[in-house]
């Protein structure tokens, strides 16, 4: 399941550089996560790095993009070529 950023985002800029897949980008009002690039850090880390650094806890799972760990790993391989 990809992650999403809620409207509680304070645009603090700490999540974007932590994403190994470059899935986080500035949106019109808050940061956004591209679900096609988000692997919840599967393949890179044990935990989503953006969630670890977010000071307002505004990065939950995105119910619109349900994926298993196997699907996330497949996406990781597709994105990285590894």
């Amino acid at each position: 399941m990809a992650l999403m950023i809620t409207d509680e985002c304070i645009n603090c800029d700490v999540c974007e550089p932590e994403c190994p897949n470059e899935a986080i980008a500035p949106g019109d009002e808050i940061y956004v996560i591209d679900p096609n690039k988000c692997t919840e850090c599967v393949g890179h880390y044990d935990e989503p790095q953006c969630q670890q650094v977010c000071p307002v806890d505004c990065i939950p799972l995105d119910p619109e993009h349900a994926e298993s760990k196997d699907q996330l790993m497949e996406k990781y391989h597709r994105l990285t070529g590894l």
Side-chain angles (χ1 to χ4, degrees):
M1 186 174 289
L3 300 171
M4 61 182 276
I5 297 176
T6 68
D7 60 3
E8 296 167 355
C9 175
I10 59 172
N11 289 312
C12 66
D13 303 321
V14 299
C15 61
E16 183 182 20
E18 295 300 320
C19 182
N21 296 324
E22 299 180 351
I24 301 173
D28 290 336
E29 296 181 27
I30 61 173
Y31 277 85
V32 294
I33 296 178
D34 181 346
N36 296 314
K37 293 182 177 180
C38 179
T39 63
E40 294 179 46
C41 289
V42 168
H44 295 283
Y45 303 103
D46 292 333
E47 298 176 338
Q49 299 301 289
C50 59
Q51 286 181 331
Q52 298 302 308
V53 299
C54 181
V56 293
D57 196 28
C58 68
I59 309 175
L61 293 171
D62 185 348
E64 303 273 325
H65 297 93
E67 297 170 289
S68 69
K69 292 290 183 192
D70 288 340
Q71 290 171 312
L72 292 169
M73 185 58 82
E74 288 176 24
K75 188 190 302 185
Y76 161 79
H77 289 299
R78 187 176 69 250
L79 290 170
T80 64
L82 299 176

